[in-house]
Amino acid sequence: SSQNLSEEFAEAARQLKKEAPRIQFGKIDVTHQHDLRKEFNIQAFPTVKFFVNGSREDPIDCKGVRKASTFVTWVERRTGPSTVLINSTDQAEAIIKADDLAVIGFFRELHDESVEVFCEIARDVPEMPFGMTASEDVCANYSIQRNSLVVFKKGKPVHYEVLEDGGQNKLGLTRLIKTFTLDLVTEYNIETSVKIFDVPVENHILLFTPTNSETFNEIYENYQSAAAEFRGKILFVLVDTDETRNGRIFEYFRIRDIDVPAVRILNLTSDARYKMPADEVTVENLKEFCQSYLNGEAKQHLSSEKIPQDWDKMPVKVLVGKNFHSVIF
């Protein structure tokens, strides 16, 4: 909530007042400041922007940051080095074991384009520590090919990405790394819903199934296998259909008891929904569905009642899913 974020923001301001007194924190109630709202194109609330060197031009958006400690890290990485330089295996181990997650860049030298890409990603992912090294000993210790980015989870390497010079997709890698703050498959509930929407992946796939059914374990394993392949591109979510608090999601996707297990893809930006053509939740069917969606070949799912015969007889037209798009657009 806005109130909660406001408190965390104030706490970050208190911490940075001691550590970095040059960085000022301020808040604006835009309901009374229409000119400022227009000038900085404020669409959503709350919005946090960072102004550099006294300039009003092009402030940096601070998105998806909710905790005081993450605010502090985000600001520190914007105003100073965004990664820790590692010179020894002991240093590397200290970073890897200090937190649940850590990202280490292993490089040939510390002055090429792939290092710049790595440092820029670190600025945008304040949720986890970043370190980089060009030490032969450290690279040899982990048997890692140079110019690679490695994500460690609970002290073990769980993802490996070779960084190309220059044309690296920073946004894609940033999204990918942020997904590690969630499980491979995240069960939807009150606590996880905020986290799910904080990870900047706009494609979500949802499996609707009762978690206490006899076939659940097999279906879940298939779902996890597919999830590993699309990490960073599609976020895999599990919705327990026996949980009454999930009723609003069933309504939103028009899922009925006889439909489960059901699989849907949702694009958060366009609100478009897609239904998996196959009924069986196999690894093969899931992969095919995800791939056809990413290739732009999947057909939108417009679950809708029939168009009433007299829908256009009155001054106020009756719209359902099937005629909504053609009438409105």
Side-chain angles (χ1 to χ4, degrees):
S1 71
S2 283
Q3 178 60 36
N4 198 357
L5 188 84
S6 194
E7 286 166 14
E8 294 289 330
F9 191 69
E11 176 55 36
R14 275 194 290 278
Q15 287 180 32
L16 279 167
K17 195 169 183 181
K18 299 183 203 111
E19 295 168 36
R22 282 173 49 250
I23 297 165
Q24 303 291 318
F25 280 66
K27 64 178 177 178
I28 296 165
D29 180 354
V30 287
T31 50
H32 306 298
Q33 302 288 338
H34 297 294
D35 291 351
L36 288 175
R37 182 176 177 176
K38 198 172 168 189
E39 180 184 350
F40 299 115
N41 191 25
I42 307 298
Q43 307 275 350
F45 306 100
T47 292
V48 179
K49 287 186 183 279
F50 186 52
F51 294 84
V52 184
N53 295 333
S55 166
R56 291 175 88 112
E57 302 296 315
D58 297 326
I60 303 161
D61 275 328
C62 178
K63 289 180 184 162
V65 177
R66 290 172 185 266
K67 290 197 179 119
S69 58
T70 321
F71 268 123
V72 170
T73 306
W74 190 91
V75 170
E76 284 173 342
R77 289 187 189 173
R78 291 275 162 193
T79 53
S82 59
T83 62
V84 176
L85 185 57
I86 295 168
N87 293 314
S88 70
T89 304
D90 287 351
Q91 260 183 308
E93 282 295 295
I95 289 176
I96 289 163
K97 290 189 171 152
D99 254 298
D100 250 13
L101 287 161
V103 184
I104 308 287
F106 296 85
F107 297 103
R108 284 188 207 92
E109 49 177 310
L110 295 178
H111 304 289
D112 61 14
E113 284 181 89
S114 49
V115 174
E116 276 177 45
V117 169
F118 184 75
C119 292
E120 281 177 35
I121 293 167
R123 278 187 207 118
D124 288 326
V125 189
E127 294 90 343
M128 52 188 92
F130 276 68
M132 65 177 183
T133 186
S135 152
E136 279 185 33
D137 291 349
V138 178
C139 293
N141 183 64
Y142 294 100
S143 308
I144 300 284
Q145 181 188 339
R146 299 297 186 89
N147 279 23
S148 333
L149 170 159
V150 182
V151 180
F152 289 84
K153 194 164 190 172
K154 293 190 165 48
K156 292 189 170 66
V158 288
H159 187 78
Y160 179 97
E161 193 85 35
V162 175
L163 288 162
E164 302 140 17
D165 286 348
Q168 192 73 40
N169 178 358
K170 287 190 286 266
L171 185 62
L173 273 175
T174 301
R175 283 181 184 152
L176 176 75
I177 291 166
K178 282 205 176 210
T179 63
F180 284 94
T181 61
L182 294 171
D183 294 328
L184 197 52
V185 171
T186 306
E187 184 167 351
Y188 182 91
N189 57 41
I190 303 297
E191 291 77 45
T192 61
S193 62
V194 172
K195 286 185 186 174
I196 288 168
F197 290 111
D198 269 354
V199 172
V201 177
E202 66 171 2
N203 306 312
H204 290 189
I205 187 168
L206 300 97
L207 166 64
F208 295 87
T209 186
T211 56
N212 63 0
S213 75
E214 287 172 22
T215 55
F216 174 71
N217 286 347
E218 188 190 335
I219 288 173
Y220 186 71
E221 270 179 38
N222 293 344
Y223 199 58
Q224 268 199 312
S225 297
E229 202 156 309
F230 294 97
R231 188 157 216 161
K233 294 179 185 139
I234 302 177
L235 209 58
F236 277 62
V237 179
L238 169 71
V239 184
D240 182 3
T241 53
D242 284 343
E243 174 54 73
T244 50
R245 284 177 297 185
N246 290 337
R248 284 176 66 187
I249 308 184
F250 309 147
E251 278 172 37
Y252 181 73
F253 284 94
R254 302 251 178 122
I255 302 281
R256 301 161 302 169
D257 286 348
I258 58 163
D259 296 329
V260 299
V263 179
R264 301 283 187 274
I265 285 178
L266 169 69
N267 180 289
L268 296 188
T269 309
S270 65
D271 200 41
R273 279 156 263 180
Y274 303 81
K275 178 184 179 180
M276 186 165 79
D279 290 332
E280 297 281 304
V281 185
T282 63
V283 179
E284 208 48 53
N285 288 342
L286 287 162
K287 284 184 182 176
E288 209 170 293
F289 180 39
C290 291
Q291 202 52 61
S292 73
Y293 167 74
L294 291 174
N295 294 346
E297 293 158 3
K299 287 189 173 61
Q300 269 198 55
H301 178 58
L302 303 167
S303 55
S304 171
E305 62 246 56
K306 286 182 178 152
I307 301 169
Q309 281 184 322
D310 57 353
W311 73 271
D312 62 345
K313 297 281 184 286
M314 304 298 281
V316 176
K317 310 300 176 196
V318 180
L319 300 178
V320 293
K322 284 194 174 92
N323 70 347
F324 182 85
H325 195 273
S326 57
V327 174
I328 298 300
F329 301 110

